Amino acid sequence: MSSLPAPGLQPDDAVEPGLYPTFRLPSLPRFQPALRRPGIDDLEHSCHAWLDDTLRVAHVDSPHAFEEFLHQRTTLWNLLAYPTTDTERTKTICHWIDVLFSIDDLFVHAPRPRLERLGLHQLDAVLGDDRPTPRTPYPRALAVLAQRIRAGMPAGLWNRFAHEMKGFFAACRTERGWLEAGTAVDLAAYETSRIKSVGECCFPLLEYGLGIDLTDHFAAIPELGRLNRLVARHWVGVNDIFSYRKELYSGDTINEITLALATNGGNLQAAVDHIADTIQRTEDEFCAISKHLLETAPGQDVAVSQYIKALRWMIAGNLEWSYITPRYNGHDHTWNGDTAATVILTPH
């Protein structure tokens, strides 16, 4: 697969001043660069081909939109966020989360009759036992993946993953309702929903990829759950800064910048700075809790320490993907490695 361009970061004089909304992106915290596993390009190509083969049939009425989705390099997010997981299991993780990226987009943009034709009202059913394989495209894809992943998941881990997946579907429905109703959302409700729709289902997949089961550990070590939530909150902040250009021009108002603009008089720079501060505080708390936990007796458990270190790679991978992905930044930009720059919110 050919290399695709990256973010909407340009020199200050590249676009006529004042023509488009502009803000100064601060250098977000990077306690470590993302880790790239060996063979990442071939893995991305293989998983991209699986996504094409599996979901193209569901988009015969919107081939251009599906091509745009394929160009967003969602598979690369998984490969950067799960760089230390087992390679074969990582392919399954890629398939799961690539499909979830597509489902998230459909809940935002697709008319309700199309959601039903694609089976998005049946998604919870694929997580039950002894269900026949659905005929509609998205439940069918997830049912196949569920059968595959359950073979490698202890029962407790599967139950936790299924619970988080149901939370993801519920959050997608909630946010769709907010969009349709034009609801004014407060930050607490927004954070609760977005942490579910952006991240919580990803953590049982991390255990699966590492070949561990921390079900009992999560019950005994509350700090582990807190670390998961901090990673998800970090993702939400980064996502909302980088995705704002895409959402500004697509009519998606479920974004933390939109909430901040509504409460600060419409000052875009102030909104970005506020979210960047939240990202910094979140990372500081994550680093403090994880460092303390690794110094305690529970943190000496090999599975626990392996998991905590993998969470650090997840933070780093998500941030690097955000600088790279055409999903946020369009097709015509190449990231030169700068992490602080003027961001010009052009439609393309």
Side-chain angles (χ1 to χ4, degrees), residues 270-307:
V272 171
D273 291 344
H274 169 76
I275 298 168
D277 288 344
T278 300
I279 294 169
Q280 180 68 70
R281 290 195 304 273
T282 301
E283 186 164 311
D284 289 346
E285 185 178 354
F286 173 88
C287 289
I289 293 175
S290 61
K291 180 177 183 296
H292 172 74
L293 186 53
L294 287 170
E295 292 170 349
T296 65
Q300 302 307 303
D301 184 301
V302 173
V304 172
S305 62
Q306 183 184 19
Y307 183 78

Side-chain angles (χ1 to χ4, degrees), residues 209-222:
L210 294 171
I212 59 178
D213 178 8
L214 297 179
T215 300
D216 292 338
H217 296 78
F218 272 97
I221 309 171

Side-chain angles (χ1 to χ4, degrees), residues 231-297:
V231 173
R233 185 63 184 87
H234 195 284
W235 289 348
V236 169
V238 171
N239 170 284
D240 283 6
I241 289 177
F242 281 88
S243 68
Y244 182 64
R245 184 205 64 84
K246 167 182 173 285
E247 293 166 1
L248 176 67
Y249 292 108
S250 69
D252 183 358
T253 59
I254 308 302
N255 183 291
E256 192 174 0
I257 287 183
T258 304
L259 270 64
L261 288 171
T263 58
N264 75 3
N267 186 320
L268 179 57
Q269 187 64 57
V272 171
D273 291 344
H274 169 76
I275 298 168
D277 288 344
T278 300
I279 294 169
Q280 180 68 70
R281 290 195 304 273
T282 301
E283 186 164 311
D284 289 346
E285 185 178 354
F286 173 88
C287 289
I289 293 175
S290 61
K291 180 177 183 296
H292 172 74
L293 186 53
L294 287 170
E295 292 170 349
T296 65

Side-chain angles (χ1 to χ4, degrees), residues 1 4 33 62 77 79 82 119 149 155 165 248 264 278-279 304 316-317:
M1 184 167 56
L4 292 171
S62 57
W77 184 89
L79 296 173
Y82 294 90
I149 206 169
M165 282 302 310
L248 176 67
N264 75 3
T278 300
I279 294 169
V304 172

Side-chain angles (χ1 to χ4, degrees), residues 39 44 68 76 83 95 131 134 155 186 220 230 238 261 285 305 310 319 347:
E44 185 182 1
E68 287 294 304
L76 184 61
H95 300 341
R131 302 273 187 159
D186 65 76
L230 287 168
V238 171
L261 288 171
E285 185 178 354
S305 62
L319 181 56

Side-chain angles (χ1 to χ4, degrees), residues 128-203:
D129 295 320
D130 302 321
R131 302 273 187 159
T133 300
R135 296 182 179 180
T136 44
Y138 280 84
R140 183 170 63 238
L142 290 183
V144 171
L145 290 174
Q147 183 178 21
R148 182 190 308 174
I149 206 169
R150 289 187 77 167
M153 269 189 173
L157 182 55
W158 165 256
N159 289 337
R160 287 167 46 219
F161 177 58
H163 173 77
E164 300 300 354
M165 282 302 310
K166 290 177 181 177
F168 171 86
F169 299 144
C172 287
R173 291 190 291 267
T174 295
E175 292 169 19
R176 172 61 180 242
W178 289 342
L179 276 173
E180 290 181 334
T183 304
V185 184
D186 65 76
L187 183 59
Y190 173 81
E191 286 183 339
T192 298
S193 180
R194 289 300 282 166
I195 285 173
K196 289 184 178 298
S197 65
V198 167
E200 286 192 335
C201 62
C202 298
F203 302 118

